[in-house]
Amino acid sequence: MQNEKVAVVTGSTSGIGLGIAKELAKQGCNVVLNARKQSAETDQLCNEIKKESGVNVMFGAADMSSADQISKMMAEVDKKFGRIDIVVNNAGIQHVAHIEDFPNDKWDQVVSTNLSSAFHTTKAVIRGMKDRKWGRIVNISSAHGLVASPFKSAYVAAKHGMVGLTKVTALELAEFGITCNAVCPGYVYTPLVEKQIDDQAKSHGIPRENVIKDIMLVHQFTKRFVEVDEVAKLTAFLCSDAAGSITGAAIPIEGGWVAN
Ligand code: NAD
C-alpha cells in the first residue's frame, strides 16, 4: 500500500490517465487529477474516486502545453499536500498528416503537450523527491516511442523524445531513491484512439472496421486492444517500492508489436 503518498497524474479525466489515477488511489495514494479546466464533470470524478478509495483527491487545472500553468499547478499541489511523491506524465494528443501538410501549430501543440510537459513536471518535483529520498516518475510514452508509423511525425518524435528524457532523468536521479520509467502501450481503446479511427478512415478512404483490423491491430499480435486496466496496473507497479531497481526502462505493453 502507498498510504500518505501524493501522486499527480496529468491528463487524467479520461482514458488511460483516469485508469491510472483510480488504480493509484486504490493502492492508497492521494491523487491529483488534471485537465485544462475544472468543471461539474471533473468535480464528480474527484468525488467518485474519493468515495471509492477513501483517499484525498485534488483537482489541478493546467493546460499541459503551458510551462507557466504547469508550474502554478505543481506549486498548488505542493502547498496543499506538502509533497509530491509520484508523477505520471500521461497528457497527450495526436495529429495525423503527411509531413508536407503538417500544420506548424499542430507540431508545436503535440510536442509541448506530449513531451515538454513531462520536462516541466519533472523539474518541479525533483528537489522535494531528493529531500525525501524517494520518488517515482512514469512517462506514458507509446509503442510509437520505440518504432514509427507514417503520418504521425510530431507524435512519434515526441514519444521517442519522452523515452530519451526518461533515460536522462533515471541516470541523474538513480542515487536518490527516485526512479523514472517509460510505459509504451500499443493501441488502447480510449477517446484518443476513437478519434484516430475516424481520422484514418477519412485519410485512407476505408471503413472504420478496416482501420481497426488492418492498420491498428495489424502489428498487435494479440489481435486485441490493450486494456486501460493493464496499463494502469503496470504503472502502479512501477510506482511501488517493489520496482525500486527498475529505472531508465522503456517498457512495451503492446501485444508483441515491437518484438517483430
Ligand atoms: P485520452 O484522449 O482519453 O486522454 C488524454 C488526456 O489528456 C485527456 O484527459 C485530455 O483531456 C488530456 N489532455 C490533452 N491535452 C491536454 C492539455 N493540453 N492539458 C491538459 N490535459 C490535456 O487519450 P488516452 O488514449 O487515454 O491517452 C493517454 C496517454 O496515453 C497519451 O499520452 C497517449 O499518447 C498515450 N497512449 C495512448 C495509446 C492509445 O492507444 N490510447 C497508446 C499509446 C500511448
Side-chain angles (χ1 to χ4, degrees):
M1 288 301 278
Q2 298 263 49
N3 294 337
E4 307 300 319
K5 295 267 169 27
V6 174
V8 175
V9 185
T10 70
S12 45
T13 55
S14 75
I16 295 170
L18 180 58
I20 292 169
K22 285 184 171 173
E23 185 60 33
L24 289 173
K26 236 192 264 174
Q27 308 277 326
C29 291
N30 300 310
V31 293
V32 180
L33 290 192
N34 153 262
R36 285 185 197 81
K37 286 197 170 69
Q38 189 165 5
S39 64
E41 202 194 352
T42 63
D43 288 348
Q44 196 186 329
L45 282 175
C46 290
N47 287 332
E48 268 171 32
I49 297 178
K50 218 181 280 179
K51 213 162 139 200
E52 272 164 26
S53 306
V55 297
N56 287 314
V57 184
M58 173 183 170
F59 180 79
D63 180 335
M64 294 307 295
S65 67
S66 156
D68 289 347
Q69 290 191 32
I70 293 170
S71 102
K72 198 164 155 264
M73 175 184 75
M74 299 304 270
E76 280 165 10
V77 176
D78 210 30
K79 194 166 167 219
K80 178 172 165 70
F81 290 109
R83 58 194 298 151
I84 301 174
D85 306 285
I86 294 169
V87 176
V88 180
N89 290 304
N90 169 79
I93 52 170
Q94 174 65 280
H95 187 80
V96 179
H98 290 82
I99 294 177
E100 64 270 34
D101 301 324
F102 212 97
N104 293 348
D105 64 328
K106 288 285 180 202
W107 170 276
D108 290 342
Q109 213 183 337
V110 172
V111 172
S112 58
T113 308
N114 296 17
L115 174 60
S116 305
S117 59
F119 164 74
H120 295 301
T121 58
T122 298
K123 193 174 168 184
V125 295
I126 285 178
R127 284 194 180 87
M129 286 181 176
K130 275 186 171 174
D131 288 347
R132 288 184 296 277
K133 298 188 171 43
W134 198 95
R136 295 286 184 265
I137 300 167
V138 181
N139 293 326
I140 305 302
S141 176
S142 169
H144 281 125
L146 303 169
V147 294
S149 295
F151 318 123
K152 296 184 174 177
S153 53
Y155 187 85
V156 170
K159 293 298 188 182
H160 274 68
M162 212 179 199
V163 171
L165 174 65
T166 299
K167 292 179 182 175
V168 175
T169 308
L171 297 184
E172 284 191 26
L173 303 179
E175 286 183 71
F176 299 93
I178 304 166
T179 68
C180 180
N181 293 288
V183 167
C184 300
Y187 282 99
V188 185
Y189 187 76
T190 64
L192 182 133
V193 163
E194 174 56 33
K195 184 176 172 297
Q196 279 185 57
I197 297 172
D198 287 336
D199 287 349
Q200 295 215 18
K202 221 184 288 164
S203 74
H204 294 283
I206 56 173
R208 284 172 54 89
E209 309 81 75
N210 292 49
V211 173
I212 294 172
K213 189 163 120 320
D214 301 331
I215 298 178
M216 293 187 161
L217 298 185
V218 72
H219 300 299
Q220 219 146 294
F221 279 67
T222 45
K223 298 298 163 203
R224 65 168 178 86
F225 285 110
V226 178
E227 303 284 335
V228 167
D229 198 46
E230 293 173 323
V231 181
K233 289 205 159 69
L234 170 61
T235 303
F237 174 69
L238 291 172
C239 294
S240 70
D241 280 327
S245 291
I246 304 174
T247 197
I251 302 173
I253 171 164
E254 36 50 293
W257 177 348
V258 306
N260 187 28

